[in-house]
Amino acid sequence: MEDYNPNKIIDEARQGEALVLSPSSKGEGRGEEGKKMFLESYGCAMNFSDSEIVASILAGKGYSTTSDFHEADLILVNTCAIREGAEQRIRGRLKEYNIAKRKNPKLMIGVLGCMAERLKEKFLEQEKIVDMVVGPDAYRDLPNLIERVEGGQKAVNVLLSLEETYADISPVRLDSNGVTAFISITRGCDNMCSFCVVPFTRGRERSRDPESIVNEAKNLFEQGYREVTLLGQNVDSYLWANGKAKKELNLQGFQNLEGFTTFAQLLEMAANVSPDLRIRFSTSNPQDMTDDVLYAIAKHENICNYVHLPVQSGSSAMLERMNRGYSREKYLERISAIRRIIPDCGISTDIITGFCGETEEEHRDTLSLMEEVGFEFAYMFMYSERPGTLAQKKYKDDVAEEVKKTRLQEVMALQQKHSAERTKQGLGKIHRVLIEGVSKKSSERLYGRNSQNTTVVFPKGNHKKGEYVNVLATECTLATLIGEVVK
Ligand code: SAM
């Protein structure tokens, strides 16, 4: 993608290793007691959103953020465990912090998030510079853990919770463009896809009180934000049931019961905050995405016509081994439903190449599914075996590295062709664009995204960040539309 795109947070995070978010200058200078923290996030958008909760908890304890780790009293790394490469990158980064720690022995280093949860106390043994290991459900305990470290001890809290949603914490927005923001709506995951470490690092799925979600959206809108992305590992499985965990309920006929909120209803509640507040969401799941959700998108102009629906593989036998809970046919049926109910919807996906036992024919099934759907965009990965997952226990990671790589290249080449075709289809059309900032390539141009999540670039004129404009697309690159503002 040519120009900066806040969804890059999701894009790059999904590539697993590329994203490093340091606090923005906006958050700097908040602390009253002059203590500085450097907070860095790797991995998915959920992690980024969690870092904003951490920043809020520690701002209450006098910590301001800094974008220079050399001047920090506390370094926190919010980690990702989704693939081996993500973990290696974090270990490399810890070596850099070691230099700062040698200069300042009082510097405290804490590891947060999924890798912390996966490795627990072992992290302290493996990486001597780490003082503190904190899992995703234990951030409220950070002030106590820091005190323990200040007292000369090492500190660990990796307890997972069945209830924690941090619903009452107002996140400090980090690296914000002031226009787009994330709101977490669920935590954890109950899906147990056989390749995935998330259920073990983020715990059981829980939904957040809808009122707190809508209030967060209202507050953001009042502060000038114009787009929120509702986040969860599986947003379609969102269910608020008067505080009861979804799994505790007999769900038959739950739509008719008072006090229950489904994801489709939550989307509508968020859309009703203001017609000028755009709503996006990630990630959808083929086994749970109902037509009700699609009808909610179609009904509200301000719910973006964009669905990220990970397929992982085009082979039903592979999907069975992956424990995805749907077949190729069921996935394609969901795609037909999207196209029928929201004809101009952008659709993106996630694909894994070289999962356990993948035959050449199964790989071809993935390519043929891609041809059938023609995704706007895809996040593509080579399978990386993760300790403790169902796949690691049940199957052999038996596809040679070279084969995984060749298949990934084939999948990427095909996707590039589809992305280019999809972008071209936007030419000659008028796109409603929310302006997110100045183009990286030219200070004379602004950029934003259309409803389908494609980046659109156009001359600045008198327009400003946070405004909506209609842009007639006249040119394009592989993934960016370029045009002129029209009335
Ligand atoms: N909850 C979402 C879902 O299941 O559809 C996304 C979870 S994950 C944070 C994002 C993506 O990483 C997955 O959709 C999958 O394609 C990829 N992924 C997860 N585990 C992986 C593994 N062990 N090796 C390679 N890619 C993996």
Side-chain angles (χ1 to χ4, degrees), residues 128-390:
K128 299 287 178 227
I129 70 156
V130 173
D131 300 299
M132 200 165 51
V133 177
V134 191
D137 287 346
Y139 297 145
R140 285 183 202 268
D141 198 24
L142 269 166
N144 302 323
L145 298 170
I146 290 171
E147 261 179 41
R148 231 181 285 162
V149 175
E150 282 170 340
Q153 297 173 50
K154 299 260 176 181
V156 178
N157 187 344
V158 286
L159 285 178
L160 287 172
S161 158
L162 290 175
E163 285 106 33
E164 182 63 272
T165 60
Y166 300 108
D168 56 315
I169 292 179
S170 177
V172 168
R173 304 289 161 187
L174 299 170
D175 256 4
S176 168
N177 60 5
V179 179
T180 61
F182 293 122
I183 302 183
S184 287
I185 64 162
T186 66
R187 294 185 73 79
C189 187
D190 282 351
N191 276 5
M192 299 305 280
C193 301
S194 62
F195 52 80
C196 191
V197 78
V198 168
F200 307 98
T201 59
R202 290 193 156 266
R204 299 299 301 268
E205 182 189 285
R206 57 243 92 117
S207 297
R208 180 177 163 191
D209 174 359
E211 211 179 300
S212 73
I213 296 169
V214 171
N215 283 341
E216 194 172 329
K218 276 185 189 154
N219 286 339
L220 285 163
F221 184 73
E222 278 157 19
Q223 288 167 45
Y225 287 82
R226 290 294 174 264
E227 181 182 297
V228 295
T229 302
L230 307 181
L231 288 181
Q233 293 297 335
N234 173 2
V235 287
D236 297 298
S237 144
Y238 176 90
L239 183 69
W240 178 255
N242 279 333
K244 288 202 186 84
K246 188 173 170 184
K247 299 282 151 174
E248 289 170 33
L249 301 162
N250 171 8
L251 293 180
Q252 272 182 348
F254 70 87
Q255 271 103 338
N256 303 325
L257 291 174
E258 256 181 56
F260 283 62
T261 308
T262 62
F263 180 56
Q265 290 163 339
L266 179 71
L267 269 180
E268 297 214 38
M269 287 160 75
N272 287 333
V273 166
S274 165
D276 285 335
L277 183 69
R278 266 187 175 180
I279 314 297
R280 293 187 191 273
F281 53 88
S282 184
T283 305
S284 300
N285 191 294
Q287 58 174 314
D288 294 310
M289 193 185 66
T290 61
D291 285 357
D292 284 352
V293 168
L294 303 177
Y295 285 119
I297 301 170
K299 180 173 155 193
H300 293 268
E301 186 68 29
N302 58 331
I303 305 179
C304 289
N305 291 352
Y306 173 62
V307 177
H308 180 69
L309 196 65
V311 65
Q312 316 296 0
S313 167
S315 149
S316 292
M318 279 287 282
L319 291 168
E320 177 96 41
R321 291 205 289 287
M322 288 175 163
N323 199 28
R324 287 290 289 177
Y326 56 88
S327 60
R328 175 189 175 102
E329 291 68 34
K330 163 84 181 178
Y331 184 85
L332 290 173
E333 182 278 317
R334 290 291 74 204
I335 295 289
S336 306
I338 297 173
R339 301 240 193 267
R340 185 179 71 246
I341 299 168
I342 321 159
D344 63 342
C345 193
I347 306 176
S348 59
T349 199
D350 290 352
I351 292 171
I352 298 178
T353 65
F355 180 66
C356 308
E358 188 185 57
T359 62
E360 191 56 32
E361 195 187 340
E362 287 169 337
H363 167 59
R364 299 272 143 222
D365 286 343
T366 298
L367 296 173
S368 74
L369 180 131
M370 291 171 75
E371 289 281 18
E372 214 166 320
V373 179
F375 295 107
E376 258 78 8
F377 193 87
Y379 306 94
M380 299 152 283
F381 313 100
M382 284 198 295
Y383 173 57
S384 163
E385 186 178 81
R386 304 312 291 134
T389 54
L390 294 183

